[in-house]
Structure formats: structure tokens, C-alpha cells
């Protein structure tokens, strides 16, 4: 049984991310969902908001922990004691970036493996950016994000 880390920006979490998380959680003993705190990346939601939306959406999953992290992913992974990094692959367009990251992480620590889960066809078009764009123009979000995220997005758009 393994410990795994699923890292990402989750700005905000979508049903595509949640599908990967649920599938990954069934494959390992413990799954850390690691939310990247990146001061350079301009995110819509603060790190606290991104973590709390994930916690709300995942409260029924006993073996899933949501935590913020900063700095090098591989350092965080070692700190958790994980042997696996989980990433999702939607289309060929994801592949080049994901390959580069997986190879860089392998170079930094050959003992840690990156495992790719292929996106569910239902969510293969779905991204946090698409969801933010739809929210900005009051598009339908029901099938794309959990209800706590939908409400937070609507609040955020009102503030703007
Ligand atoms: P990052 O900035 O690290 O790419 P994201 O939050 O955009 O963070 O994505 C985190 C991971 O989830 C990535 O591996 C991405 O390919 C995957 N992912 C994003 N959206 C989906 C989706 N709809 N279905 C499956 N995987 C997804």
C-alpha cells in the first residue's frame, strides 16, 4: 500500500480534479492533495480559499488530506513519505508539460514515480480556466464544479 501526492493549483477545484482524486484515493492507502502556493502565479482564489473548497468537497474521504505547499514539489513529497506523484492527463496538449515535470522530478529523486491517470471523457475538456471564464459570463456551472465552488465563484465575480 502506497502514499501518494496529487499536486496542483486547483484555482478552483473542478469535477475533473475530483474524479482523479477519487480514483487515486482508491488506489493508495493515503492521498495528499497538495495545493501550490505560488506567489508568481496570479490566482483568482487565495491559498486558504483553494484549500478550504477542496476540504469541503472531500470531507467524506477518510484517506484524503488537503494541504498547502510551497517550494519544490519533490521536497514536499519526501516530507509526506509518499512514493508516488499523481497527475491527470486530458489531451495530447497536457503531455509535453507533464512529461517535462515527470522527468525533472525523476532526476531529482529516482525513487519517486509519477503516475498518470487519464481524464474521464466526461471531463476531458474541463479546466479551472474554463470554469472561471464561464463564471465571469454567468454560464452554467452545475455539472462542472461542486456546489461550494459554484457559490464561491459567483461571490468572487460579484466582488469584481
Ligand atoms: P497545475 O497548475 O499544476 O497544472 P491544475 O490544478 O491545473 O494545476 O491541474 C492539476 C492536475 O490535474 C494536472 O495534472 C492536470 O492535468 C489535472 N487536471 C486538470 N483538469 C483535469 C480534468 N478535467 N480531468 C483530469 N485531470 C485534470
Amino acid at each position: 500500500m502506497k502514499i501518494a501526492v496529487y499536486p496542483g493549483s486547483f484555482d478552483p477545484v473542478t469535477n475533473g480534479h475530483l474524479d482523479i482524486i477519487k480514483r487515486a484515493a482508491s488506489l493508495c492507502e493515503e492521498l495528499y492533495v497538495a495545493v501550490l502556493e505560488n506567489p508568481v502565479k496570479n490566482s483568482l482564489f487565495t491559498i486558504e480559499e483553494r484549500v478550504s473548497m477542496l476540504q469541503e468537497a472531500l470531507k467524506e474521504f477518510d484517506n484524503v488530506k488537503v494541504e498547502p505547499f510551497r517550494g519544490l514539489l519533490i521536497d514536499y513529497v519526501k516530507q509526506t513519505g509518499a512514493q508516488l506523484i499523481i497527475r491527470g492527463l486530458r489531451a495530447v496538449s497536457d503531455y509535453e508539460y507533464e512529461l517535462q515535470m515527470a522527468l525533472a522530478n525523476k532526476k531529482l529523486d529516482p525513487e519517486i514515480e509519477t503516475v498518470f491517470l487519464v481524464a474521464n471523457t466526461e471531463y476531458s475538456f474541463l479546466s479551472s480556466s474554463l470554469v472561471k471564464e464561464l463564471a465571469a459570463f454567468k454560464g452554467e456551472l452545475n455539472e462542472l464544479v461542486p456546489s461550494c465552488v459554484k457559490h464561491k465563484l459567483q461571490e468572487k465575480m460579484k466582488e469584481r
Side-chain angles (χ1 to χ4, degrees):
M1 289 299 254
K2 299 274 185 190
I3 303 173
V5 171
Y6 178 42
S9 308
F10 306 106
D11 185 38
V13 60
T14 68
N15 287 346
H17 293 127
L18 291 176
D19 181 61
I20 297 286
I21 293 169
K22 289 168 191 174
R23 286 159 57 198
S26 73
L27 297 173
C28 61
E29 192 174 26
E30 210 169 353
L31 178 68
Y32 287 85
V33 178
V35 187
L36 177 64
E37 189 177 356
N38 185 350
V40 183
K41 216 169 173 178
N42 228 338
S43 52
L44 176 65
F45 292 100
T46 64
I47 184 73
E48 292 80 14
E49 289 172 320
R50 287 182 278 142
V51 167
S52 106
M53 286 184 280
L54 272 157
Q55 280 170 339
E56 172 68 25
L58 293 165
K59 58 185 176 206
E60 276 146 42
F61 290 80
D62 294 339
N63 68 335
V64 179
K65 271 194 198 138
V66 184
E67 286 187 345
F69 84 101
R70 52 166 76 181
L72 268 187
L73 172 64
I74 214 81
D75 292 337
Y76 172 81
V77 173
K78 280 192 238 176
Q79 203 184 298
T80 61
Q83 304 85 1
L84 301 174
I85 297 170
I86 306 284
R87 293 288 287 180
L89 274 183
R90 283 162 292 186
V92 182
S93 51
D94 279 339
Y95 181 75
E96 204 168 321
Y97 174 72
E98 293 294 342
L99 179 69
Q100 188 184 23
M101 295 307 294
L103 292 175
N105 285 325
K106 189 89 186 150
K107 184 91 188 152
L108 292 169
D109 191 331
E111 304 275 291
I112 295 170
E113 292 289 351
T114 300
V115 174
F116 293 103
L117 296 185
V118 172
N120 199 313
T121 44
E122 210 182 320
Y123 303 124
S124 60
F125 68 94
L126 186 53
S127 67
S128 300
S129 319
L130 175 78
V131 157
K132 285 182 275 193
E133 207 156 308
L134 281 174
F137 297 106
K138 301 194 170 60
E140 180 60 57
L141 295 170
N142 282 339
E143 311 271 299
L144 309 182
V145 292
S147 62
C148 61
V149 173
K150 180 181 150 183
H151 296 130
K152 278 290 229 175
L153 269 166
Q154 287 166 342
E155 268 171 37
K156 233 352 148 197
M157 293 306 161
K158 270 189 209 145
E159 285 167 19
R160 302 196 132 199

